[in-house]
Amino acid sequence: MTTKRGFTTTLLHADRLGKPEHGSLHKPIHTSVTYGHEDVQDLVDIFQNKKKGYAYSRQGNPTVTALEHKVTQMEKGLSSVAFSTGMAAISATIMALIKHTDHIVASSFLFGNSRSIFQTYIDLGLDITFVDATDVANVSAEIKENTKLVFVETIANPATQIADLEGIGELCSQKGILYVVDNTMTSPYLFNPIDVKASLVINSLTKYIGGHGDSLGGSVTDTGLFDWSNYPNIFPSFKDQVKPEALGMTQVRKKGLRDAGGTLAPEAAHTISVGAETLALRLERACNNALALATYFENHPKIKKVFYPGLEGHPQHERAAKLFNKFGGLMSIELDESIDCLAFLNKLQLVVKSSNLGDTRTLAIPVAQTIFFELGAERRAEMGIPESMIRLSVGIEDLDDLVEDFKSALA
């Protein structure tokens, strides 16, 4: 009888229960690129997907496999594939599963780099439609006969719009469309997209899961809800080699990871895996800090607007309260017109001026001048991004110290 254990307990003991070498509590770092086999038939069977094993580390490594297992457990999924970055995971998923005759519907509020890679695919000939995903009706209106995939994020970065995750999940389930949810801003501790019928879940492991700003990584998790046996884009030979439920991840690993080469290094996999053990502890603190700061900013005369789903005035506050364990560590603020946002940031002494997210430290960045600069003023306005917006990734510092830093900078 298997005992069901809590989120953190499961993470802490995941490696140990896999019985790693020499009684190690963490899966050791395997740096070998190649793997030898006494019987060449074993090597052949691995190449032909007839047995599990390792042939070449571009598409599989024992240390990375251990991390993939942890991510799968966190997301309550069937299996996962890890990548060198979150962007590699997104790019490889589209490359592996979509053909040039297909159509994609994506949220119009996608993170800047995600929007950029989708634009690149448009330039290469893919048909992609961007919609306001906070209402399923907008997604439904753009579904075509050749629509193969819908792509959304849980909480949009930086303006914190929350997609109609349940409604879109129902729509995609009814129509047999791949439903891909980027869970980076919530992480599997706050939300599991499987609960809204997601087919695939993307995570930037760099962010909250790794959590310490010291390793890049990404992942794709198959929830097990999508029927791959009827998906027309599966490579024919894979259908004869693996079980139907494994077809999607086999294709992502072979066509997305192996062919495109966005391989996660074992050293990074180990660092992320260890960092993940404290995900719940870090996010509890970060979310509590974020809500307190959002409340402080909401009542400050020099803050024009606060973008944070934990505030009752947020357009999707009730949705966030229903779906997420907490409201996340991401927020943005719009400064009063009288304040120069760059000068304000330079006054901050504790908060780090940085482009990352999900770190233990609180990070801040001027949005229009950096991560969304390439989009231009017109597109930023369409996305609800004011020129004086500052994005904050709230960390785990002592709350009083954070409030004092912002108070001094706003004085």
Side-chain angles (χ1 to χ4, degrees), residues 18-32:
K19 301 186 184 304
E21 302 88 315
H22 312 299
S24 173
L25 298 184
H26 293 109
K27 184 68 174 178
I29 301 173
H30 289 263
T31 58
S32 183

Side-chain angles (χ1 to χ4, degrees), residues 158-159 297-298 300-308 331-341 344 365 367 384-392 410:
F297 290 140
E298 189 176 38
H300 199 289
K302 293 185 178 180
I303 303 296
K304 187 175 181 180
K305 186 175 181 180
V306 183
F307 303 79
Y308 186 65
M331 79 169 69
S332 293
I333 55 176
E334 180 183 359
L335 299 173
D336 184 82
E337 289 87 347
S338 63
I339 302 175
D340 181 280
C341 67
F344 163 75
I365 190 169
V367 176
I385 300 173
E387 296 301 295
S388 63
M389 175 183 276
I390 292 172
R391 187 191 72 187
L392 302 172
L410 287 166

Side-chain angles (χ1 to χ4, degrees), residues 104-333:
I104 295 172
V105 178
S107 169
S108 59
F109 306 121
L110 290 182
F111 167 60
N113 279 145
S114 298
R115 176 75 184 221
S116 179
I117 188 60
F118 274 62
Q119 184 60 52
T120 297
Y121 280 127
I122 291 173
D123 294 342
L124 291 172
L126 274 186
D127 183 11
I128 302 177
T129 303
F130 296 99
V131 301
D132 178 349
T134 60
D135 187 342
V136 65
N138 298 327
V139 177
S140 181
E142 298 298 336
I143 297 295
K144 304 178 183 180
E145 187 175 336
N146 64 329
T147 302
K148 291 293 191 298
L149 185 148
V150 173
F151 187 100
V152 302
E153 298 165 336
T154 52
I155 301 176
N157 167 18
T160 71
Q161 300 95 334
I162 299 171
D164 187 354
L165 296 163
E166 288 184 303
I168 298 171
E170 288 291 341
L171 174 69
C172 290
S173 178
Q174 292 170 10
K175 294 185 174 293
I177 296 171
L178 272 170
Y179 181 29
V180 182
V181 177
D182 188 326
N183 197 28
T184 299
M185 290 299 99
T186 30
S187 89
Y189 177 64
L190 299 184
F191 176 64
N192 288 128
I194 190 174
D195 294 335
V196 293
K197 300 184 178 181
S199 313
L200 300 175
V201 182
I202 303 286
N203 277 288
S204 171
L205 304 176
T206 313
K207 309 302 191 297
Y208 290 104
I209 291 177
H212 293 78
D214 53 4
S215 292
L216 293 167
S219 64
V220 182
T221 300
D222 187 341
T223 63
L225 298 181
F226 189 78
D227 184 4
W228 295 105
S229 62
N230 294 320
Y231 191 63
N233 294 354
I234 296 297
F235 196 62
S237 68
F238 293 159
K239 294 182 179 181
D240 300 326
Q241 296 173 6
V242 300
K243 296 178 181 179
E245 62 268 23
L247 287 170
M249 283 296 95
T250 297
Q251 185 142 316
V252 169
R253 186 176 296 278
K254 299 288 186 178
K255 298 298 182 181
L257 176 61
R258 180 196 65 188
D259 291 2
T263 305
L264 180 64
E267 295 87 351
H270 176 78
T271 301
I272 293 168
S273 184
V274 174
E277 294 177 353
T278 59
L279 173 58
L281 306 180
R282 289 183 281 104
L283 262 178
E284 284 287 336
R285 175 83 165 220
C287 290
N288 291 342
N289 279 351
L291 182 57
L293 278 176
T295 303
Y296 169 77
F297 290 140
E298 189 176 38
N299 296 307
H300 199 289
K302 293 185 178 180
I303 303 296
K304 187 175 181 180
K305 186 175 181 180
V306 183
F307 303 79
Y308 186 65
L311 297 176
E312 292 185 2
H314 189 283
Q316 291 90 42
H317 170 73
E318 291 185 5
R319 180 179 294 167
K322 177 184 178 182
L323 294 176
F324 308 149
N325 292 334
K326 285 182 178 290
F327 299 104
L330 175 77
M331 79 169 69
S332 293
I333 55 176

Side-chain angles (χ1 to χ4, degrees), residues 83 87-97 121 252 255-257 260:
F83 292 84
M87 288 308 306
I90 293 172
S91 303
T93 298
I94 303 301
M95 189 187 82
L97 299 175
Y121 280 127
V252 169
K255 298 298 182 181
L257 176 61

